[in-house]
Amino acid sequence: MAGNFWQSSHQQQWILDKQDLIRDRQYDLTGLTEDEYQKILSFFSGIIQVLGEQLKLRQQVIATATVYFKRFYAKNSLKCIDPLLLAPTCVFLASKVEEFGVISNSRLITTCQNVIKSKFSYAYGQQEFPYRTNHILECEFYLLENLDCCLIVYQPYRPLLVFIQDIGQDDQLLTYAWKIVNDSLRTDVSLLYAPFQIAIACLNIACVMLGKENILKSWFAELNTDMDKIQEIVRTVINLYEMWKSYDEKKEIQALLMKMPKPKPAPQR
């Protein structure tokens, strides 16, 4: 992950314009509201998170898999590939790119089956995970093509650690900010902003949550960055938290999945 973010494909090709992102989603937004669309992407981001945890992956790998997932649907409709197939495919690819080691095909499929049945039965009932190794391998090639083989993803975790050191080691602040960075993966911020900007915004939210905003006011004031963008990220993450207060995923997601534009029927075993 060493290298220069400003010269990377992440910065040059994958920091997208918000208006372009909305325009590219128009097909899906003919049948779904923006709110419903975000809830569906958030649900599958949750599947990636749980799948990664069950496979004992580092958070960096899970985050990269989630960004791959977001990038694919930034350019494609939900009907192109079933998100239930793309989610484990992103995990499979990210584990190789982040040098975690290749997950065995049988372990990946078995874990998918167990996760869907035990953790997401509220969405899928007793439905079996319908995909096998050959589907994931085929999907991986399609994913690589759509990512234009831009596989190095810079995450907010590293700049967050640097900022915490600069502030003065504060484990409580780091823990809160780290969790908020994880939550930010459920939004579009990874597609729209630089990782260091996301790290600053998540630090800002963590400071407010812990009542430390006045203590660190001068630190934030001295930052040489676009504070308007930082505030945009803060608003996006706060909106996510507000949505979670009134949204019961276990009761609502099944109906949303029924409304989602469908790919071709799942292959028969």
Side-chain angles (χ1 to χ4, degrees), residues 9-10 12-14 68 71-72 75-76 93 140-152:
S9 60
H10 185 152
Q12 293 177 3
Q13 290 178 244
W14 286 104
Y68 289 167
R71 287 180 178 181
F72 181 88
K75 303 288 187 182
N76 297 279
L93 180 59
E140 185 183 27
F141 280 110
Y142 195 46
L143 174 62
L144 281 165
E145 182 184 350
N146 276 268
L147 294 177
D148 198 24
C149 292
C150 300
L151 302 180
I152 300 300

Side-chain angles (χ1 to χ4, degrees), residues 38 41-43 45-46 49 53 59 62-63 66 70 155-157 160 175-190 198 202 205-206 209 233-234 236-244:
Q38 291 296 344
L41 285 198
S42 175
F43 170 72
S45 298
Q49 183 71 39
E53 289 170 0
Q59 183 59 33
I62 296 170
T66 309
K70 294 275 186 179
Q155 299 290 355
Y157 303 109
L160 177 61
T175 300
Y176 269 70
W178 190 283
K179 287 178 180 176
I180 296 165
V181 170
N182 292 348
D183 291 340
S184 77
L185 291 167
R186 305 293 185 103
T187 74
D188 289 333
V189 297
S190 63
I198 298 170
C202 293
I205 296 169
M209 290 171 69
I233 300 167
V234 168
T236 301
V237 176
I238 295 298
N239 287 342
L240 174 72
Y241 291 153
E242 289 299 317
M243 183 266 283
W244 280 351

